Amino acid sequence: MSENEFLAERFEAHRSRLRAVAHRMLGSTAEADDAVQEAWVRLSRSDAGAVENLGGWLTTVIGRVCLDMLRSRRSRAEEPLESGPVVASEALDPEQDALLADSVGVALLVVLDTLSPAERLAFVLHDLFAVPFEEIAGILGRSPAAARQLASRARRRVRGAPVPDTDLVRQREVVDAFLAAAREGDLEGLLAVLDPDVVARSEGGVTSGAAAVAAGARRFASFSRVALPALVDGATGLVVLEDGRPERALTFTFAHDRITVIDVALSPERVSELHIDLV
C-alpha cells in the first residue's frame, strides 16, 4: 500500500464524523461534502506523519472550513432565521449526539440558522460533538472562556426558539396556498403564508424577508404552474419533472402555520442527491 493510499484509508475512517459535523454546521448536504473534500485536500498537502491525533486535527480543519463558508454566506447578505425547535444535548457521547441531530433533521438546521457563525461552531462542536472549548477556541482565534460564552449564548437561543410545525396535512395546505398565490401573482396571498423572516436558499444565493421572497415567487409563476406536491427527503415540498425525472425541487420548513425556510435545488447534482416521493 502506498503512502497516499494509507493516508486515504485513515481519512475514510473519519469521513462520516466529519460529514456529520459539516452538515450540522452548514445545513446543506452538498456544502458538507464540499467541506469534507476540502479537509481531505488540506490533509493531503500537510505533513500527516507529524499529526499525533488525526481525528482532532481533522475536526479542527473541518471547523475552520465550515466557519469560512458560513462567514462567506454572511458577506453575501444571508440573514439568520428567527425560528426553530428546542434541540440541545448535554450528553458527552458524540455518536449519540449525532444520532440525536439526525432524528430532528431539518428542525435542528432551522434553529441553527438563528446563530452567528461563531455561535454555531461553538454550539455544534461542543454540544453535539463534545469538542473541548480549548480546541474550539483555537479554531475561532479566541480564548476558551470566550468560546464557552459563545456556546452558552447559542444554547439559550436554541432552547428558547419555538418548535416548528410537524403536521404534514396542515403543511401541505400551506404549500398549496403558497402555490396558488404564486400562480396568480397574488402578493397578499403569498405574504399570508410566509413568515416575516422567511429565508429562501438556492445554489444562486439567499433571499431574506417575506416581501423579497414573495416577489421572487411571483417572478417564477411559470415554474409554479408545473410544480407537483412531493415529499423531499421526508419533508413537505414541490418538484418539477422533465421527461419524468425531477428537474427542480423545493423543500419547506414551517413554524406556526407559516413558511420559514424554502430550500430550492436547481442543479441536476443537487436534485439527484434528494429522495423524492410524489404525493
Side-chain angles (χ1 to χ4, degrees):
M1 180 182 295
S2 69
E3 182 177 343
N4 191 61
E5 289 174 334
F6 177 67
L7 185 61
E9 187 175 279
R10 293 180 67 198
F11 179 82
E12 287 302 317
H14 297 278
R15 178 182 288 275
S16 61
R17 175 183 167 85
L18 296 176
R19 194 171 186 272
V21 171
H23 191 258
R24 304 310 178 277
M25 285 291 299
L26 302 170
S28 161
T29 300
E31 287 186 316
D33 288 338
D34 289 343
V36 172
Q37 181 61 29
E38 177 62 22
W40 161 248
V41 170
R42 296 191 184 188
L43 176 63
S44 62
R45 292 175 178 173
S46 69
D47 181 11
V51 177
E52 294 184 6
N53 180 0
L54 183 61
W57 188 90
L58 287 171
T59 298
T60 297
V61 169
I62 203 76
R64 287 174 176 161
V65 170
C66 291
L67 189 61
D68 289 343
M69 294 173 74
L70 288 173
R71 286 170 173 167
S72 177
R73 283 185 192 172
R74 287 296 180 93
S75 71
R76 298 194 303 269
E78 177 177 358
E79 296 294 334
L81 181 67
E82 297 297 335
S83 63
V86 179
V87 180
S89 173
E90 298 297 335
L92 296 179
D93 185 341
E95 291 187 4
Q96 289 300 315
D97 277 319
L99 290 173
L100 171 63
D102 283 335
S103 71
V104 295
V106 174
L108 176 65
L109 300 179
V110 172
V111 72
L112 291 181
D113 277 343
T114 69
L115 309 178
S116 71
E119 288 172 339
R120 186 164 182 163
L121 182 136
F123 175 78
V124 167
L125 290 187
H126 181 266
D127 282 47
L128 298 185
F129 292 94
V131 176
F133 284 119
E134 290 74 14
E135 295 180 25
I136 296 172
I139 298 171
L140 292 171
R142 305 191 187 190
S143 68
R148 185 184 299 274
Q149 189 174 42
L150 283 168
S152 177
R153 184 166 48 202
R155 199 177 300 117
R156 289 195 299 271
R157 295 183 67 182
V158 167
R159 288 172 173 167
V163 178
D165 302 334
T166 56
D167 184 344
L168 291 178
V169 174
R170 178 56 186 152
Q171 288 180 4
R172 179 55 57 191
E173 292 174 351
V174 174
V175 170
D176 287 346
F178 170 85
L179 198 55
R183 287 169 175 164
E184 298 298 323
D186 179 4
L187 180 60
E188 292 301 319
L190 288 166
L191 293 176
V193 297
L194 295 173
D195 185 88
D197 297 316
V198 62
V199 173
R201 303 182 293 211
S202 72
E203 298 96 316
V206 177
T207 302
S208 303
V213 172
R218 293 172 72 197
R219 286 197 299 270
F220 289 98
S222 58
F223 165 80
S224 66
R225 291 191 180 96
V226 294
L228 300 173
L231 287 177
V232 182
D233 282 347
T236 301
L238 297 169
V239 64
V240 173
L241 302 180
E242 182 174 319
D243 297 328
R245 295 190 304 272
E247 180 191 39
R248 296 184 179 185
L250 285 76
T251 308
F252 299 85
T253 305
F254 308 80
H256 308 303
D257 286 342
R258 289 201 174 197
I259 297 168
T260 55
V261 180
I262 305 174
D263 282 303
V264 186
L266 300 173
S267 69
E269 294 78 11
R270 282 283 311 280
V271 175
S272 67
E273 295 171 347
L274 303 172
H275 181 77
I276 297 173
D277 294 309
L278 294 180
V279 177

